Each structure stands twice: as C-alpha cells, then as structure tokens.
Amino acid sequence: MLDEHATSAAVNRLAETVAMNTRLMNAPLYRLLSTDIRERHLGGTFGVDHFVHYALTMDLLEGELLDALAAGDTTSLPLRDRYLPDVGAVLDVGGRLCAGGALALTAIARPADSYRGEADYVLLVQERSGHVLNATRRLAVIPKGFHQPLTDVRRETQIGATLRREMEEELFGRPDADNTVADTLTADPMHPTRLTEPMRWLLAEPGRLRMECTGFGLNLVSGNYEFASLIVIDDEEFWTRYGGVVEANWESATLRQYSTTDAELVTELLGDVAWSNEGLFAMTQGLRRLAEIGGERVKLPAIEWEIGQ
C-alpha cells in the first residue's frame, strides 16, 4: 500500500523508465529475511518477491537523496522517512523489502609479455550503461547483478549461483541468461551443455575458477544487502585461450582493464568519484584479499580499514 507521495514517486519512475528506454522486467527477486554471518560462515534466509515492488519503492531512495543534495536541502526526505527512517529499520531486514545482489572483482592471471611486462592479474572494471536501472553511468566491478532465481528457487539462493550466471551473461555473452531480455524457458539454464566455451573450460577441472565472499554489507543509501566477492582465475592458459572473447554486455558502456602491477593507475582508479558505493566496496575488499593470495603478481599499496566514531 502506497500513500500519495509514494504513489507519485512510483509513477514518475515508470514514466522515466519509458522515456529513457531503461530495461525493467518484473522478475522474481530474493529478499533477505535474516542473517547468520560470522567468520568463515555465511548463512541466512531468503524469501521471494517481485522486482517491480523493489523498483517502485526502495530503489527510489538513492535518487531522492541525490536530488535533495543537489538542491541543498536534505531536511525533507519523505520516501526515506517511509521506507528507511533509522538504523533500526536498516538492521530489521525481515521487516522491510531488503533486496540486493552479488558483485565481484574479477582477476585473471596473464603471462609475462614483451609489450605489457611481467606476469600479473588483469582486473576488469565497467562503466555502467545508461539503460540499466541501478548505478547508471557509474563505475562498478563486473560481474554485478541482483540476487534472483531463474528456474530453481531453492538451489539458486547460493551466492555462487548468481555469480556464475552473471559471468555467463556479462563477460561471456550469453543472452539467454539475461532475464531482462526475455522470459527464461529453459529448464536448466546453467546445465553444462548450455554453458559457453570459456565457462565449460573453467569448470572442467577443480581450482580453475575460485570464488569467495570478501564482505557483506547493508547499504545505508539504498537499504540493499551487498555480497562483495572475488573471482580469481589463476591459470594463465585461460587468458591465452579466451582473453579475446571476454566482452561486456548491454549493461556496460565501457569495459576497462587494470594491471595488479600498476600501483599508480589502480590508486588513481580507487579515487575516482564515479564509483558506485557498492562497486567501491567490492573493489577494495577484493584488492585486500587478492593481495593476500596473489603472490608476486600483485604489487599494490595496502588497503586498511578505518572505523569512524
């Protein structure tokens, strides 16, 4: 149930979506109901909601805040007062529509090269396109996607399931894994026989594809939950075989690459004001972890937490 102001904001979102040719599909969406997260343990419960419910309510909070900051008056934020009024509401994930996603810094090992230099990891960073609903024209890691099921509601609650699907969609060009293009009619979209050649190669042997969660956060701007992750491909053969077919989809305006041996350029990247907040969260968490496990391929400055009072 929406009051008059919330209804007006939802109608405006629909009008903007049509006018700007933004893709908005009412697909199933996981909502977070409870968390059980501690060291070396990632647990919790999810329910299922409709994406349009999120898009026309909680997803409007960031836009309202940005408009208020631009106008120089943050005393009136009626949508935030309704949906996310205080820290208690942020933490009460089961008492509100808490949607979110999984996003990962992707690091792919490359051999030494006479043009590029010593062996490294290539880091992939995207600038989001103007047709996406979230983080439009902002920097983000890739893959980045909402946590939602395609066909198997229970099994696909695993964060890794969303990341593998987003890799297929956003890095390896599988349009049938994208539920914003068309409804999913395949019984098992991630069946081995349907995977792209790069993904089949990665899953053919244990250890070729490593994924781990590097952090969990509740976004104070949007109220979303964010699973920051790291995807590492250590075998140099992958880049030799498939580096030329790694390609972002329509959700990206550009795809940039950075070397883990170029401390100056990566430091400059981290200071870019164009970052989405969840993208920077995943980027810094991924770099911290990569520095621990990447060996001589990683020559970046240390990233340390600073806890505010």
Side-chain angles (χ1 to χ4, degrees):
M1 299 297 295
L2 303 180
D3 60 24
E4 183 177 354
H5 183 85
T7 300
S8 177
V11 171
N12 286 340
R13 159 53 67 91
L14 290 174
E16 290 171 358
T17 298
V18 174
M20 300 179 67
N21 196 28
T22 304
R23 294 191 184 185
L24 173 59
M25 296 286 287
N26 188 23
L29 180 74
Y30 286 124
R31 60 181 296 174
L32 188 62
L33 299 178
S34 68
T35 61
D36 180 17
I37 297 173
R38 52 189 185 275
E39 188 174 359
R40 299 188 180 279
H41 180 82
L42 189 65
T45 57
F46 289 99
V48 178
D49 211 299
H50 296 283
F51 186 84
V52 72
H53 290 168
Y54 163 78
L56 300 182
T57 57
M58 297 296 293
D59 194 44
L60 303 178
L61 294 180
E62 183 169 4
E64 179 189 59
L65 179 60
L66 292 175
D67 289 344
L69 290 171
D73 180 13
T74 59
T75 59
S76 177
L77 297 169
L79 292 178
R80 186 164 298 273
D81 291 341
R82 175 184 177 88
Y83 297 126
L84 205 68
D86 50 37
V87 175
V90 173
L91 299 177
D92 183 20
V93 294
R96 61 183 177 87
L97 176 50
C98 184
L103 62 167
L105 172 63
T106 298
I108 306 174
R110 298 187 296 189
D113 181 270
S114 58
Y115 171 74
R116 188 181 61 252
E118 58 191 314
D120 67 353
Y121 288 106
V122 60
L123 307 174
L124 300 178
V125 175
Q126 63 170 317
E127 178 190 341
R128 304 275 285 171
S129 81
H131 300 294
V132 294
L133 198 66
N134 304 92
T136 306
R137 300 296 184 186
R138 308 297 294 275
L139 295 180
V141 293
I142 188 169
K144 166 182 164 57
F146 278 97
H147 189 36
Q148 53 191 160
L150 285 181
T151 57
D152 191 330
V153 172
R154 186 176 299 277
R155 187 183 67 174
E156 291 172 2
T157 54
Q158 299 176 43
I159 302 302
T162 290
L163 289 177
R164 285 188 291 271
R165 184 181 73 235
E166 292 296 322
M167 286 182 69
E168 283 281 81
E169 175 189 335
E170 295 186 11
L171 291 178
F172 303 149
R174 265 192 68 187
D176 64 319
D178 185 353
N179 61 5
T180 66
V181 175
D183 292 331
T184 302
L185 301 178
T186 305
D188 187 357
M190 295 301 289
H191 190 277
T193 59
R194 300 190 65 87
L195 298 179
T196 60
E197 185 179 344
M199 183 61 82
R200 282 201 302 271
W201 187 89
L202 287 171
L203 299 180
E205 293 184 13
R208 282 181 173 175
L209 176 64
R210 290 197 290 161
M211 297 190 300
E212 59 179 276
C213 183
T214 56
F216 170 82
L218 292 172
N219 193 320
L220 297 183
V221 173
S222 64
N224 289 0
Y225 64 84
E226 314 286 3
F227 284 98
S229 306
L230 175 65
I231 295 173
V232 182
I233 302 173
D234 283 314
D235 194 331
E236 295 176 347
E237 186 180 350
F238 177 85
W239 189 256
T240 302
R241 281 175 174 254
Y242 302 113
V245 299
V246 174
E247 182 178 356
N249 70 348
W250 66 270
E251 296 179 45
S252 299
T254 61
L255 184 62
R256 310 177 187 176
Q257 59 171 267
Y258 295 85
S259 171
T260 52
T261 61
D262 193 335
E264 181 180 5
L265 198 58
V266 172
T267 301
E268 182 180 316
L269 170 67
L270 292 176
D272 197 315
V273 297
W275 276 102
S276 59
N277 48 43
E278 68 275 10
L280 187 58
F281 172 51
M283 181 71 177
T284 53
Q285 284 293 90
L287 289 177
R288 291 175 72 240
R289 178 58 177 156
L290 192 61
E292 296 174 352
I293 64 176
E296 293 299 316
R297 294 180 185 273
V298 182
K299 299 179 179 179
L300 299 175
I303 299 175
E304 299 179 357
W305 282 108
E306 181 176 314
I307 301 176
Q309 299 298 322

